[in-house]
Amino acid sequence: MSTKKLIAPFYERLALTLIGFLALGYLVIIGKELLDPLVFGFIFAILLLPVSAFLEKKCRLPRSASSLLSILLLVALVFGILYLVGSQISNLANDWPMLQTQVKQSIHDLQEWIQSTFHINAENQLSYVDKTAKKIMASGTDVLGTTFGAVSSLMLFYVFIMIFTFFILLYRRLLLRFIIWVFRDENSHVVMDIVENIQSILRQYILGLLLEMLIVATVAISVFLVIGIKYAALLGIIVGLFNIIPYIGIFTALLLSAVITFATGNVKDTVIVIIGVVGIHAVDANFLLPTIVGSKVRLNALISFIGIIVGEMVWGLSGMFLSIPVIAIFKIIFDRIESLKPWGYLLGGDNEDKKKTPIKLKTE
C-alpha cells in the first residue's frame, strides 16, 4: 500500500516563512549587543584565518599564539592607517590661524550677502549668532558627556570584536566539528562545501573592499595633486575611507572635503573638489565596485539595497556594513539546500539567469 507525501498549501508555507523571519528579526534586534561584535569577529576571523594558519604551520607557533599574533598584526595595520590620517590632520592644525582668518572673512562676506539680499542688518545677524552660541555653550557639558560616552562605548565595542575574533580563531576546529555533528555525518560534505564557500567569498569580498578603497584613495590624491589642492593626501584618504560606507559615505566625504578645501583655499577650488569627488564616486560605483566587489558576492542590486536599509534600521551603521556579507552567507546556504534554492535564486544577480532555463510566460 503506497503512501503519498502530504505537501502543505502554499499560503501555509508562506505564513510559516514570514513568522520565522519575524521571529528571527526580533531575536536579532534584542540580541544586538552580543550579535553585533560576534558577527564582526566572525568576519575578521575568516579574514585572518590564512595568516593564523601560516603562523601555526610554518612558524610552528601554538594556535593561541598564532591567533593572538594575527590579531595584533591587524591592530597594527589599523593603527598605521590612523597614524597616517592623524599626521595629515596635525599638518592641518598647524595652519589653524590661517583657517580662522579664512572663516572670519567668509562669515563677513556671508553677512554682507545676507544684508544685501534679505535686508537684515549686521547687528541683528550678530545678535542671532550670539544667542545661538550661548545656547550651544549652555548645552556644551551635555554634549561633551554624550561624546565621551559614545567614544567609550565604541572602544569597548572594538575590544569585544578582537576578543571574539581571537576565540573563533582559537576554537575554529571545535566549532566546525560541532556544526558537522549537529547536521549529521551524512551531510558533512554539504556542510564543508558551505563552510569553504563562505570563507572564500567573504575573504574575497573584504579584500575587494580594501582594494577598492586603496584605488579610490590613490586616484583622489592624484587628482587633487594635479589640481593643486592643499592637503591633497588628507582629502584623498578621507574619500577612500568613507567610500566603503554604503550610500552615506559619499556625502560625508563630499562634506568634509568641501569644508577643508574652502577653509584652506577659495570657492573655485571648493567647486573643483566637489566635482572631482562626485566624478570619482561615479566611476567607482559604475566600474570599480561591480568589477572588484560585486562579482564576489553575486547579489542583485535590489536585494542589496533592501538589505542595507534593513541593516541600518536594525543595527545602525554596523548593520549597513554587515548587510551584504550576511546576505551573501544566506545565499550560499540557500543555493546548497534543495528546498531553499528558490530563495537563493531570488538573492542572485543576472548571472543566476544564465545558469537557469529561461521561463516563458504566456501572454494573451
Side-chain angles (χ1 to χ4, degrees):
M1 188 175 179
S2 61
T3 57
K4 291 184 178 180
K5 187 178 179 180
L6 296 176
I7 300 176
F10 172 75
Y11 64 85
E12 184 178 327
R13 286 180 281 134
L14 179 62
L16 290 174
T17 302
L18 293 176
I19 291 172
F21 277 130
L22 290 174
L24 180 62
Y26 177 73
L27 293 175
V28 166
I29 292 173
I30 65 173
K32 177 184 184 300
E33 299 300 326
L34 173 65
L35 294 177
D36 199 355
L38 180 60
V39 176
F40 270 111
F42 172 74
I43 293 175
F44 282 137
I46 289 178
L47 182 63
L48 295 175
L49 183 57
V51 179
S52 179
F54 174 81
L55 294 173
E56 189 176 342
K57 293 178 181 178
K58 301 296 183 181
C59 302
R60 303 299 178 91
L61 293 176
R63 180 163 299 170
S64 57
S66 63
S67 302
L68 180 60
L69 186 56
S70 60
I71 291 174
L72 292 177
L73 290 174
L74 175 65
V75 172
L77 176 64
V78 172
F79 271 104
I81 297 174
L82 293 177
Y83 175 78
L84 181 62
V85 175
S87 63
Q88 295 294 319
I89 293 176
S90 66
N91 293 334
L92 181 65
N94 293 333
D95 289 337
W96 183 248
M98 185 190 70
L99 299 182
Q100 286 181 313
T101 304
Q102 179 74 9
V103 170
K104 288 178 181 178
Q105 182 61 40
S106 301
I107 292 174
H108 177 71
D109 295 340
L110 181 62
Q111 285 178 346
E112 290 185 348
W113 179 79
I114 292 173
Q115 184 171 353
S116 61
T117 306
F118 300 101
H119 306 290
I120 302 174
N121 59 42
E123 290 183 3
N124 291 337
Q125 294 178 41
L126 290 174
S127 175
Y128 176 77
V129 171
D130 184 59
K131 289 179 181 177
T132 305
K134 286 181 179 179
K135 289 181 181 178
I136 293 173
M137 291 300 295
S139 60
T141 306
D142 296 334
V143 172
L144 184 61
T146 304
T147 304
F148 180 76
V151 172
S152 302
S153 300
L154 195 61
M155 293 302 296
L156 188 62
F157 177 72
Y158 291 147
V159 170
F160 276 123
I161 289 176
M162 294 299 106
I163 292 173
F164 279 126
T165 304
F166 172 76
F167 282 120
I168 292 173
L169 285 173
L170 183 62
Y171 295 113
R172 57 182 182 269
R173 287 185 184 172
L174 182 146
L175 295 173
L176 180 59
R177 288 170 183 166
F178 166 76
I179 294 172
I180 293 175
W181 195 359
V182 166
F183 292 99
R184 300 179 183 177
D185 290 337
E186 58 265 26
N187 298 319
S188 61
H189 64 286
V190 178
V191 174
M192 288 302 300
D193 184 40
I194 291 174
V195 170
E196 289 172 1
N197 275 276
I198 287 175
Q199 288 185 33
S200 174
I201 289 179
L202 288 188
R203 196 175 295 126
Q204 291 177 15
Y205 173 72
I206 297 169
L207 293 176
L209 274 182
L210 295 177
L211 178 60
E212 181 205 8
M213 181 182 70
L214 180 63
I215 292 174
V216 169
T218 304
V219 171
I221 292 173
S222 302
V223 170
F224 295 154
L225 284 174
V226 170
I227 296 174
I229 301 299
K230 197 173 183 180
Y231 303 112
L234 175 61
L235 297 180
I237 293 172
I238 288 174
V239 173
L241 287 175
F242 282 93
N243 188 70
I244 65 174
I245 302 176
Y247 299 101
I248 66 170
I250 175 61
F251 298 106
T252 307
L254 192 63
L255 177 62
L256 291 174
S257 301
V259 169
I260 293 175
T261 305
F262 180 73
T264 58
N266 50 49
V267 177
K268 179 182 176 183
D269 291 340
T270 305
V271 173
I272 293 175
V273 165
I274 291 174
I275 294 173
V277 172
V278 172
I280 291 170
H281 178 73
V283 173
D284 170 63
N286 291 283
F287 298 99
L288 285 179
L289 188 64
T291 303
I292 299 176
V293 179
S295 60
K296 311 301 180 186
V297 294
R298 294 180 180 178
L299 302 174
N300 71 63
L302 175 63
I303 295 298
S304 300
F305 185 70
I306 293 175
I308 289 171
I309 294 175
V310 172
E312 196 280 332
M313 292 169 61
V314 174
W315 282 0
L317 188 59
S318 61
M320 297 178 70
F321 275 112
L322 294 173
S323 57
I324 302 300
V326 169
I327 295 174
I329 292 173
F330 277 113
K331 175 170 168 41
I332 293 169
I333 296 173
F334 292 163
D335 285 342
R336 282 153 183 83
I337 299 177
E338 192 63 35
S339 60
L340 297 177
K341 281 186 177 180
W343 293 95
Y345 177 76
L346 176 65
L347 300 180
D350 294 335
N351 56 297
E352 298 289 331
D353 295 330
K354 298 174 184 177
K355 299 177 185 178
K356 309 288 180 182
T357 303
I359 299 172
K360 295 183 179 178
L361 300 176
K362 257 188 197 178
T363 56
E364 297 187 10

